[in-house]
Amino acid sequence: MKLFAELIKTLDSTNKTNLKVEALASYFKKAENVDKVWTIAILSHRRPPRPINTTVLRSWAAELANIPLWLFEESYHIVGDLAETIALVVPASNESTQKPLSQFLKEFITLKKKDDQEKKSYVLENWSKLNYYERFVFTKLITGGFRIGVSQKLMTRALSKATEIDEDILAYKLMGNWDPDTITFEDLILRERPEDFLSKPYPFYLAYAIEEEVSGLGNVKEWSIEYKWDGIRAQVIIRNKELFVWSRGEELVTDKYPEFRQFVEEIPNGTVLDGEILPFPEGAIGTFNDLQTRIGRKTISKTLLAKTPVILKVYDILEWEEKDIRTSTYLERRKILEKLFLQYNNHNTGSNKNTLQLSERISLETWKDVAEERAKSREICSEGLMLKRNDAIYKVGRKKGDWWKWKVDPLTIDAVLTYAMRGHGRRSNLFTDYTFALWNRENTELVTFAKAYSGLTDAEFKQVDSWIKKNTLERFGPVRSVTPELVFEIAFEGIAFSKRHKSGIATRFPRILRWRQDKKIEEANTLEDLKAMIPSSK
Amino acid sequence: MLTPLLVFNENGIYCEAADVYIDPWRPVNKAIISHSHADHSRWGHKQYITHHTNIPIIKHRLGEINVSGKSYDETFTINNVKFSLHPAGHIIGSSQIRVEHKGEVWVFTGDYKIEDDGISQVFEPVKCHTFITECTFGLPPFKWEPQELVFNNINTWWDTNKSEGKTSVLFGYSLGKAQRLLKHLDSSIGKIYTHGAIENMTEVIRPMIDLPDTTLITKETKKTDLLGHIVLAPPSAHGSTWIRKMVPYVTASASGWMTFRGARRRRAIDKGFVLSDHCDWQGLLTAIKATEAHKIICTHGYTDIFSRYLREQGYDARTEKTQYEGELTDSEVDKADGGKS
């Protein structure tokens, strides 16, 4: 635990990726194997279930700190992190523990089944015996994940550095269901398995957004136009009768999309496809909102699977008949892809046929036609267009020149700041989470329509934060209502009617585009203006 | 109804019976000043009254002003109202202000801390009926460790940076925090360099207390000269080109706000030391108890929360709006160096 707490402290105290990797790698070299397994589990979101709910933790902490519960809650709102608040308010101890990390986690597993009294004495004893940082880490392990900017990918890189095993192979070893309570480090990481090499993906080719006029790209005939879809970019690998699905973050997500299991039977071995995972509720491509119900879930229930199935929209083919074909031109690869789809559609007549779809190539004659097509994107839940040069090879990483994304402009509206809340983590104790409102039909009342957390510079956040502190009307726990005075231009990607929102409208990815210091609140937009933006076809 | 001895008006804290203001935020005729931080000691009053020790400091900040000095415990009378200054322990020359009229006693703290920092006159509890207190850190998460521990950590940090061939850059306010840091840095580790703002203020304070030698960083200072040594700089220097020229360096901040993990990360400071010239939660409660006051007025900081807690403890506590910058966190320091932490 001591070593693990030190590790978390180091990770927490830097925002430089290299230093994080270094700290993790040195931990993986020093720690006991059994602790390493638990560390990997914690950093890959495989913690044992929460043994104690946070409500009782709060009341025990308040009791131990000898303060009323409301004061604990106020402190929590200001600190912005529950475990940190607890570690700060309970009486200080400067003892340190010799108990290994693995033992704490094993204790948590048995603790879950015990009654509240036993839980309480266990927790209180540990709080009083651990030093500040250990106390924080101990409580964090009970309450939830560490927000310390360590992705599974970063951890895998560090593990690779410490063990000298290839990163992609480690990523494969770490996927799937393994139980940190029973598996050994030897079995999980060190033992070599031939199948580890099967899963290796290719690096993704990524496009930049086009900033100049598209007409500058030359003859439109030299370009292929496809829709740009708003899902999860993914690589699907079929090798040796096995399926591997990699997300663009180079995370193995095979288990999250059971719909794709059928590809093993339908797609020949030695094939690697590049595409987009998209939600497909009610037989049509849905919005990113739909997909969000699937992301982050480790296990997918049958109901969810039926309600929000996913499909793969295939953009490209990188490996065919066990050969890397990335140096062929786009058109050559496209020809192979079309052949593959012909076979697929001939063999597959079942209802699952839709699960694999070929990205449409739109044939257009002029750049003006292209622009018109782009303008229609929102109606079909597409984000805009992709422009790909016909003779381009499949490159590595984000490169300019041959691939461009041409997204539709975000929708924007001028709204009034009405409520503010303190941020979390890096932004704790600073009002950075805002609620915005628009005028009702009569222009008499401001109606909340969206929350936004990003888009201002640090300097602007400071300015607005200080304004909020001076213009607070009322406080509701962590939330403050403020004098309606500041106007912001809010941008968002999509818009739809919604029953869950007071305004009756849901916006996708609302963020602050700029602070309209030139506008008075009377000049802000109305809800009617917002409604007028909803595409009529939906 | 009788006018209270002290009222909060648009200019500051006003004693009508004496026609005098305490730490006013707008220009007035006569002002009694607790200490020289910018939010308590403003420019433009016709007459200033403050502690002797504070006179060179306030003149350094405000220029030639009409100021008269008092000693601690020296009673002076204005229109039959008795005033006296008492050590506040906040920074050098800082005072609490006691006001007595017709048997009623009020005490205004300005800013204060109860720990002996080794350079400021140590806080003295003063018995009163009404106690006007700051509560910048009036929240249970704020708990200070004894300063010996903190300075041990700071010196160890410096020594470690030195062994890694790096320059240590330590941020603290030019008045108060900088001299407190300076006093306790272990100059056997290396040389102590200063930013101009800190050097100038320290020169003013040097005649009053014994401080280690410092070297001002000038255009002629080479960055290789600095390696392994420590640089004291005001927080506003963070991220400036002035600092960037010192590569390789590591930064640290010494402030009560460093209690929060988020505060340090937000400013991208490598290390945070929790060290404040204000009271922590327990310090405030201890100080209030020692005054034996029943009426408590909270002026700045987490006033609403703190006064609610005091009411639950049986005090007659309330909040008054002032322009003292209790919430002066790292998000606000850039525009207000000369403030506090």
Side-chain angles (χ1 to χ4, degrees):
Chain A
M1 179 71 155
K2 214 177 184 159
L3 206 55
F4 182 74
E6 284 291 324
L7 169 69
I8 297 297
K9 192 173 179 177
T10 315
L11 294 176
D12 195 33
S13 64
T14 179
N15 39 22
K16 297 185 184 85
T17 308
N18 282 343
L19 290 182
K20 285 184 178 177
V21 172
E22 230 166 77
L24 271 162
S26 104
Y27 171 86
F28 283 129
K29 280 181 194 158
K30 275 189 284 185
E32 295 294 324
N33 276 350
V34 53
D35 286 347
K36 282 189 235 177
V37 171
W38 275 109
T39 302
I40 295 167
I42 290 159
L43 296 177
S44 62
H45 312 287
R46 284 185 176 80
R47 287 173 323 109
R50 186 182 284 178
I52 302 164
N53 71 48
T54 57
T55 316
V56 296
L57 277 182
R58 289 164 201 232
S59 66
W60 297 342
E63 188 188 316
L64 197 62
N66 196 22
I67 54 173
L69 190 60
W70 70 263
L71 184 55
F72 178 85
E73 296 292 345
E74 290 281 4
S75 302
Y76 168 44
H77 294 320
I78 288 161
V79 176
D81 182 293
L82 183 61
E84 188 178 346
T85 313
I86 292 175
L88 286 170
V89 300
V90 302
S93 140
N94 287 315
E95 287 180 49
S96 178
T97 180
Q98 295 305 320
K99 211 194 288 180
L101 172 70
S102 53
Q103 196 181 328
F104 276 104
L105 286 142
K106 281 174 190 291
E107 285 168 3
F108 290 173
I109 295 170
T110 51
L111 191 64
K112 190 164 171 57
K113 298 176 199 102
K114 297 200 169 143
D115 63 38
D116 265 12
Q117 206 43 52
E118 282 172 291
K119 285 180 181 178
K120 186 175 175 180
S121 59
Y122 173 80
V123 169
L124 263 53
E125 193 196 324
N126 278 295
W127 279 343
S128 62
K129 271 194 189 158
L130 300 172
N131 69 33
Y132 166 70
Y133 219 86
E134 291 169 353
R135 204 156 65 223
F136 164 66
V137 169
F138 167 82
T139 314
K140 209 65 180 144
L141 285 171
I142 294 178
T143 56
F146 289 90
R147 284 190 179 193
I148 42 173
V150 176
S151 59
Q152 181 152 354
K153 164 106 180 122
L154 208 137
M155 180 201 49
T156 313
R157 197 197 302 173
L159 198 56
S160 162
K161 215 173 159 184
T163 59
E164 291 174 4
I165 299 171
D166 189 271
E167 251 183 271
D168 293 334
I169 290 169
L170 283 174
Y172 171 65
K173 284 170 181 283
L174 294 180
M175 70 180 274
N177 288 321
W178 48 271
D179 181 359
D181 196 24
T182 51
I183 201 163
T184 65
F185 189 70
E186 174 71 30
D187 280 345
L188 181 66
I189 301 294
L190 300 179
R191 204 159 48 83
E192 253 187 52
R193 299 172 299 185
E195 66 267 30
D196 293 345
F197 296 90
L198 277 182
S199 71
K200 221 172 149 45
Y202 296 102
F204 284 85
Y205 180 13
L206 306 168
Y208 271 98
I210 190 156
E211 274 152 17
E212 281 120 57
E213 289 295 316
V214 282
S215 52
L217 293 177
N219 190 343
V220 71
K221 302 264 184 213
E222 288 168 17
W223 293 83
S224 289
I225 319 287
E226 293 177 60
Y227 291 114
K228 184 180 185 319
W229 297 104
D230 185 15
I232 296 167
R233 180 86 180 275
Q235 213 172 109
V236 168
I237 298 171
I238 291 112
R239 289 181 191 139
N240 207 14
K241 289 259 162 209
E242 276 204 71
L243 168 82
F244 307 93
V245 182
W246 291 86
S247 75
R248 208 200 78 189
E250 278 156 63
E251 222 184 307
L252 254 179
V253 292
T254 317
D255 298 341
K256 287 188 185 176
Y257 304 102
E259 289 96 331
F260 298 165
R261 269 180 224 144
Q262 62 183 58
F263 297 160
V264 175
E265 305 300 325
E266 298 158 352
I267 299 172
N269 279 315
T271 305
V272 176
L273 301 174
D274 175 4
E276 192 99 10
I277 299 171
L278 292 171
F280 206 66
E282 294 158 23
I285 291 170
T287 65
F288 196 81
N289 261 339
D290 298 316
L291 192 59
Q292 230 139 18
T293 58
R294 295 282 302 262
I295 300 171
R297 300 274 171 94
K298 280 273 157 187
T299 51
I300 312 292
S301 72
K302 276 194 180 142
T303 346
L304 185 59
L305 207 52
K307 195 171 165 249
T308 315
V310 297
I311 60 151
L312 185 75
K313 193 67 122 170
V314 183
Y315 298 133
D316 215 323
I317 182 162
L318 314 183
E319 183 176 304
W320 177 241
E321 293 172 338
E322 297 175 8
K323 275 200 256 342
D324 177 358
I325 57 163
R326 289 177 298 158
T327 49
S328 313
T329 66
Y330 171 82
L331 281 187
E332 286 163 354
R333 298 195 309 273
R334 180 79 195 184
K335 217 171 268 171
I336 295 170
L337 198 55
E338 282 168 7
K339 195 168 90 191
L340 171 81
F341 267 88
L342 204 64
Q343 286 174 8
Y344 174 82
N345 288 331
N346 284 344
H347 287 105
N348 189 334
T349 48
S351 58
N352 291 339
K353 193 169 146 180
N354 275 331
T355 308
L356 196 68
Q357 297 184 9
L358 181 61
S359 161
E360 298 85 349
R361 257 182 87 205
I362 320 161
S363 54
L364 297 163
E365 299 295 315
T366 66
W367 287 117
K368 191 167 161 277
D369 295 343
V370 178
E372 278 168 19
E373 191 61 39
R374 167 177 174 262
K376 287 188 269 180
S377 307
R378 205 165 256 126
E379 292 163 24
I380 55 164
C381 285
S382 145
E383 282 191 296
L385 300 177
M386 284 297 304
L387 316 176
K388 297 175 178 174
R389 202 186 282 278
N390 287 334
D391 58 5
I393 62 163
Y394 190 95
K395 295 182 179 171
V396 169
R398 201 176 291 281
K399 295 280 151 57
K400 288 188 177 174
D402 290 341
W403 280 18
W404 296 103
K405 50 183 176 187
W406 195 22
K407 285 170 72 157
V408 280
D409 295 327
L411 299 164
T412 69
I413 201 152
D414 292 334
V416 181
L417 173 69
T418 49
Y419 295 91
M421 199 168 106
R422 288 179 210 265
H424 285 81
R426 206 173 75 89
R427 295 161 148 195
S428 67
N429 206 27
L430 201 59
F431 287 91
T432 57
D433 299 2
Y434 306 137
T435 301
F436 294 98
L438 297 168
W439 292 106
N440 64 358
R441 195 189 290 266
E442 295 77 26
N443 270 317
T444 51
E445 198 190 323
L446 284 161
V447 184
T448 294
F449 91 102
K451 284 185 181 179
Y453 311 88
S454 63
L456 293 183
T457 62
D458 278 0
E460 286 171 321
F461 270 131
K462 280 180 196 176
Q463 239 184 309
V464 178
D465 170 75
S466 144
W467 181 90
I468 287 165
K469 284 169 184 163
K470 292 188 195 109
N471 290 278
T472 299
L473 296 177
E474 275 184 283
R475 296 164 195 232
F476 315 92
V479 181
R480 291 180 178 198
S481 64
V482 296
T483 320
E485 194 181 307
L486 305 189
V487 178
F488 293 84
E489 186 172 351
I490 308 299
F492 47 96
E493 293 301 318
I495 179 167
F497 285 111
S498 158
K499 286 194 181 105
R500 289 187 311 148
H501 292 74
K502 193 181 169 190
S503 62
I505 297 160
T507 51
R508 156 120 167 92
F509 189 33
R511 72 265 185 195
I512 304 164
L513 202 60
R514 59 201 167 118
W515 183 0
R516 296 298 304 256
Q517 285 174 287
D518 55 321
K519 286 211 170 183
K520 295 203 170 76
I521 57 166
E522 294 77 23
E523 297 170 81
N525 284 103
T526 65
L527 266 184
E528 295 304 310
D529 297 336
L530 184 66
K531 278 181 192 157
M533 293 179 183
I534 300 176
S536 48
S537 65
K538 277 253 137 182
Chain B
M1 211 182 95
L2 232 74
T3 315
L5 187 52
L6 297 176
V7 294
F8 293 74
N9 68 22
E10 68 278 10
N11 299 326
I13 304 175
Y14 182 55
C15 177
E16 194 184 277
D19 190 22
V20 63
Y21 279 90
I22 293 174
D23 285 7
W25 42 84
R26 282 200 195 153
V28 299
N29 283 332
K30 194 178 269 191
I32 305 176
I33 302 294
S34 67
H35 67 290
S36 275
H37 278 147
D39 53 331
H40 290 265
S41 112
R42 312 252 177 172
W43 190 84
H45 311 311
K46 290 210 175 97
Q47 195 189 340
Y48 291 75
I49 301 167
T50 191
H51 190 266
H52 287 304
T53 323
N54 191 31
I55 290 181
I57 304 171
I58 199 168
K59 282 190 167 172
H60 175 71
R61 284 255 152 131
L62 302 180
E64 270 314 309
I65 51 168
N66 173 15
V67 56
S68 54
K70 304 287 174 194
S71 307
Y72 289 129
D73 299 324
E74 172 189 343
T75 304
F76 53 102
T77 307
I78 307 172
N79 294 350
N80 284 323
V81 183
K82 283 192 218 162
F83 293 89
S84 54
L85 305 180
H86 305 267
H90 175 56
I91 60 169
I92 185 155
S94 66
S95 309
Q96 305 175 76
I97 298 162
R98 181 183 184 276
V99 187
E100 182 184 345
H101 187 54
K102 294 180 182 166
E104 194 183 341
V105 180
W106 290 48
V107 169
F108 168 75
T109 62
D111 294 327
Y112 69 109
K113 69 170 175 293
I114 58 174
E115 185 183 21
D116 179 1
D117 65 11
I119 58 166
S120 314
Q121 299 82 347
V122 184
F123 175 86
E124 249 175 41
V126 181
K127 293 202 181 2
C128 57
H129 301 105
T130 303
F131 189 55
I132 304 174
T133 180
E134 61 130 331
C135 53
T136 306
F137 293 107
L139 209 65
F142 296 107
K143 286 182 201 168
W144 311 151
E145 290 198 288
Q147 71 167 11
E148 291 77 26
L149 279 178
V150 182
F151 285 113
N152 270 339
N153 291 340
I154 293 176
N155 284 318
T156 308
W157 168 79
W158 177 13
D159 207 21
T160 311
N161 298 337
K162 184 187 168 187
S163 67
E164 290 169 2
K166 289 176 183 163
T167 302
S168 304
V169 180
L170 183 55
F171 297 112
Y173 296 100
S174 50
L175 169 58
K177 189 63 67 64
Q179 292 76 35
R180 185 178 177 193
L181 293 169
L182 186 52
K183 176 80 188 175
H184 300 279
L185 285 175
D186 179 359
S187 50
S188 71
I189 300 173
K191 277 170 86 173
I192 302 166
Y193 283 88
T194 49
H195 178 276
I198 289 178
E199 182 67 19
N200 291 343
M201 186 50 85
T202 304
E203 278 315 301
V204 175
I205 293 170
R206 249 179 221 289
M208 312 172 200
I209 41 175
D210 185 29
L211 292 170
D213 290 336
T214 52
T215 312
L216 175 67
I217 297 183
T218 62
K219 285 201 181 85
E220 283 71 45
T221 312
K222 291 192 222 65
K223 74 175 193 183
T224 45
D225 297 346
L226 301 174
L227 287 180
H229 303 295
I230 198 164
V231 176
L232 284 181
S236 53
H238 181 50
S240 66
T241 48
W242 183 80
I243 295 270
R244 263 176 263 140
K245 279 193 291 196
M246 297 177 191
V247 174
Y249 65 88
V250 273
T251 55
S253 181
S255 155
W257 296 110
M258 290 299 134
T259 298
F260 296 157
R261 294 184 308 140
R264 192 190 65 247
R265 286 194 293 173
R266 190 157 60 225
R267 267 178 83 78
I269 285 171
D270 300 313
K271 183 108 182 144
F273 298 106
V274 182
L275 186 78
S276 177
D277 287 325
H278 295 260
C279 285
D280 63 2
W281 167 256
Q282 204 52 55
L284 287 168
L285 296 178
T286 307
I288 289 169
K289 200 169 177 190
T291 65
E292 293 174 19
H294 177 62
K295 283 192 181 168
I296 313 293
I297 298 172
C298 305
T299 55
H300 56 293
Y302 296 102
T303 48
D304 292 348
I305 297 171
F306 192 63
S307 58
R308 177 178 167 190
Y309 178 78
L310 291 178
R311 282 193 298 279
E312 286 186 7
Q313 302 303 305
Y315 290 99
D316 175 3
R318 66 187 162 93
T319 293
E320 284 283 358
K321 238 186 152 91
T322 66
Q323 290 189 16
Y324 310 134
E325 292 166 319
E327 282 199 21
L328 194 72
T329 59
D330 47 324
S331 63
E332 288 145 320
V333 296
D334 293 342
K335 58 170 195 257
D337 180 42
K340 60 256 178 82
S341 59

